[in-house]
Amino acid sequence: MNPAWIAFLIIALVILTGALQVVRSKNLVHSVFWLALTLIGTAALFVHLHADFVAAVQVLLYTGGVITLMLFGVMLTRRLDGIVIPNESHRLAIGGLLGAATLTTIVLAVMRDVSSSQVSIGGAAPDTAKLGQLFLQQMVLPFEVLSLLLLAAMIGAIALARKVDP
């Protein structure tokens, strides 16, 4: 078997195991950690596909940012120390399996109908330097507005999670 396929299968196994444990874990904090593993596995898949920029964005934004915010959200919403926040999604396994089977069927049907001759990759690969220039020159205002929006969301989450004394 080709080493590239072996690497792909290992990465896919890590992603699927992490995703399954996100749903099956009864502790919400453990679910967040399993989600982090799943997102890191997805970044590894991007590296395997030679999409290094997308992998870096995956690690920085999702694994670094989103997981950190989720952990802060879980930790700040606990009212008392020692209370485990239950994760009730592990009871929805049948619906998840049906959804996965449906998605797999659709993907396989599309893959069967589309031959490799119909797929074309156009143009040159995007340049990371040009993307950075775009963000920090022409798109600087939307970029900063988004950062303010995320800051407002974090402050709102902290305000909602703060315990109010009567």
Side-chain angles (χ1 to χ4, degrees):
M1 185 178 257
N2 188 355
W5 275 102
I6 293 172
F8 172 76
L9 291 175
I10 291 171
I11 294 169
L13 183 65
V14 168
I15 292 172
L16 289 174
T17 301
L20 184 63
Q21 291 294 51
V22 167
V23 177
R24 295 198 57 199
S25 180
K26 294 180 182 175
N27 186 331
L28 193 55
V29 175
H30 294 163
S31 289
V32 172
F33 285 131
W34 283 112
L35 180 61
L37 177 69
T38 304
L39 294 174
I40 289 171
T42 305
L45 184 62
F46 288 138
V47 168
H48 182 68
L49 295 172
H50 303 290
D52 299 329
F53 178 73
V54 179
V57 169
Q58 174 79 19
V59 169
L60 287 175
L61 291 181
Y62 290 107
T63 308
V66 172
I67 296 299
T68 302
L69 286 175
M70 289 178 75
L71 280 176
F72 273 120
V74 168
M75 297 299 178
L76 288 173
T77 55
R78 288 187 176 190
R79 295 290 183 207
L80 300 172
D81 286 336
I83 293 178
V84 175
I85 299 174
N87 182 1
E88 300 296 327
S89 65
H90 67 279
R91 295 183 183 170
L92 304 173
I94 294 173
L97 288 174
L98 286 174
T102 304
L103 180 64
T104 302
T105 304
I106 292 170
V107 168
L108 289 175
V110 168
M111 285 174 58
R112 185 189 61 205
D113 289 343
V114 176
S115 69
S116 61
S117 64
Q118 292 175 336
V119 178
S120 66
I121 299 173
D127 187 13
T128 309
K130 288 180 184 175
L131 186 62
Q133 296 261 332
L134 179 71
F135 270 135
L136 297 176
Q137 288 179 354
Q138 289 102 352
M139 303 297 284
V140 71
L141 182 63
F143 189 70
E144 292 301 325
V145 169
L146 180 62
S147 68
L148 289 175
L149 179 66
L150 291 172
L151 177 65
M154 189 169 69
I155 291 171
I158 291 170
L160 289 173
R162 197 178 74 199
K163 187 175 182 180
V164 179
D165 292 327

